[in-house]
Amino acid sequence: MSTSDVYDVAERVVKVVAAPYRIGEPQLEVETSCGIALCHDGDTDLKTIVKRADIALYAAKAAGRNTFRLYHKHMSASTEHNARLEPQIRRLVHDNHLQVCFQPQISLKDGLRGFEALLLWPDGTTVESMTVDEFVHVAEQSTLIEQVGEFVLGTVCAQMAEWMDLLTELNLSIAINVSMRELANPLFAGKVIRIVDAHDIDPQRIKIEISESTIPLDQARMLNVLAEFQAHGFRLSLDDFGTGYSSLLHLQKIALDELKIDQTSSASWVSTRRTTRLSARSSRWRSRLASI
């Protein structure tokens, strides 16, 4: 079979699987990604072929899904590294090794203002050393991010139910970070709302935190998801402000409750005409938020 024949088969597989279908009333759509590795004249053992196909599969996922990639030796070392991390992250999720901790948010003026939910895994787990950013990036390339998100939300809601009297008395909230893939899902807000309602949690005690540096390409869909959260009473927080200037016009359509300026960006802003305009814009945003 030639390389062009392989491409033809992969294209047909992706097209057939991606076609919408119905089970009962709702119409369902399935995303698929294919990783391909070729073996010529038996010059490569089976284990190596499978490993190469897995690396190509990860590259296809990173390219946006509903596509395929053929392995080649120039694929980056980072792609291979991330491909190795995915099964290890799956094991962390499957074995219930993930933990949620609550980092206090302190105001120099008012003291304790709330908490931010952070995802951790204990020392001693049999996984490679990886950062939280690597974890999230790899999880977003698969359905793992949805399982992780549900775990974090469920854990936060259970803890909030125990702390509700304290949270109400001190007017505290808990921030939950949401990922790019979750924001791109039009059903995401509804799922979160159902889980929060099931725990009898006041949505005003939860801050949905998004990062400006990871805003999805489909910003219109993201705005609809955020508007649904806001209509239900959730608070909205924007992290890493200053790392994605092109998105500001879109985000001005949402009344944010909190703005967290990226430290690197604020340190690098100097008195040029462009950065002065950006600084002035951020000042107006801070003034607007202060009046909420």
Side-chain angles (χ1 to χ4, degrees), residues 62-77:
R65 298 175 174 274
N66 280 334
T67 188
F68 62 90
R69 287 293 183 269
L70 177 66
Y71 173 83
H72 57 81
K73 62 182 180 180
H74 300 298
M75 283 185 168
S76 66

Side-chain angles (χ1 to χ4, degrees), residues 234-249:
F234 290 83
R235 301 171 66 191
L236 301 179
S237 173
L238 176 65
D239 196 8
D240 294 335
F241 178 80
T243 60
Y245 302 135
S246 62
S247 63
L248 292 182
L249 293 178

Side-chain angles (χ1 to χ4, degrees), residues 6-229:
V6 172
Y7 283 173
D8 289 340
V9 171
E11 287 177 351
R12 292 202 302 271
V13 169
V14 171
K15 184 178 296 185
V16 169
V17 176
Y21 61 95
R22 292 184 181 276
I23 298 180
E25 183 62 28
Q27 177 174 291
L28 303 178
E29 296 182 4
V30 177
E31 295 178 335
T32 186
S33 303
C34 296
I36 305 167
L38 300 180
C39 176
H40 300 285
D41 300 325
D43 59 348
T44 307
D45 62 273
L46 179 60
K47 183 177 180 180
T48 300
I49 295 173
V50 172
K51 178 182 177 181
R52 290 177 176 177
D54 197 38
I55 293 172
L57 174 62
Y58 187 86
K61 292 178 180 179
R65 298 175 174 274
N66 280 334
T67 188
F68 62 90
R69 287 293 183 269
L70 177 66
Y71 173 83
H72 57 81
K73 62 182 180 180
H74 300 298
M75 283 185 168
S76 66
S78 62
T79 299
E80 184 173 355
H81 173 65
N82 291 338
R84 289 199 308 270
L85 289 181
E86 183 172 331
Q88 299 179 50
I89 293 175
R90 288 188 181 277
R91 189 162 61 249
L92 282 175
V93 175
H94 181 268
D95 295 342
N96 296 317
H97 282 156
L98 296 178
Q99 299 175 353
V100 176
C101 69
F102 297 88
Q103 177 176 277
Q105 295 180 324
I106 306 295
S107 166
L108 294 178
K109 178 181 178 181
D110 303 317
L112 183 64
R113 297 294 301 274
F115 302 89
E116 180 175 358
L118 300 177
L119 186 67
L120 298 174
W121 49 94
D123 294 334
T125 52
T126 56
V127 297
E128 291 184 40
S129 176
M130 61 178 156
T131 66
V132 174
D133 287 343
E134 285 180 316
F135 179 100
V136 172
H137 175 71
V138 174
E140 280 190 324
Q141 305 307 319
S142 67
T143 57
L144 284 172
I145 195 65
E146 298 170 3
Q147 299 177 52
V148 172
E150 288 185 15
F151 164 75
V152 171
L153 180 61
T155 303
V156 169
C157 286
Q159 186 63 71
M160 291 185 73
E162 295 184 19
W163 288 352
M164 188 50 66
D165 290 343
L166 177 65
L167 296 175
T168 302
E169 179 183 352
L170 299 181
N171 193 27
L172 305 178
S173 61
I174 294 183
I176 300 176
N177 293 276
V178 299
S179 71
M180 175 177 63
R181 184 173 177 85
E182 290 170 312
L183 287 175
N185 182 357
L187 303 179
F188 174 61
K191 180 175 68 175
V192 171
I193 290 168
R194 287 192 297 272
I195 294 174
V196 170
D197 287 347
H199 285 81
D200 197 25
I201 301 297
D202 181 0
Q204 293 186 357
R205 299 295 168 198
I206 296 179
K207 281 190 293 189
I208 301 297
E209 184 166 302
I210 64 174
S211 172
E212 189 181 4
S213 61
T214 58
I215 288 174
L217 295 177
D218 190 348
Q219 295 181 2
R221 179 179 293 181
M222 177 203 70
L223 290 172
N224 290 335
V225 172
L226 294 179
E228 188 173 355
F229 276 125

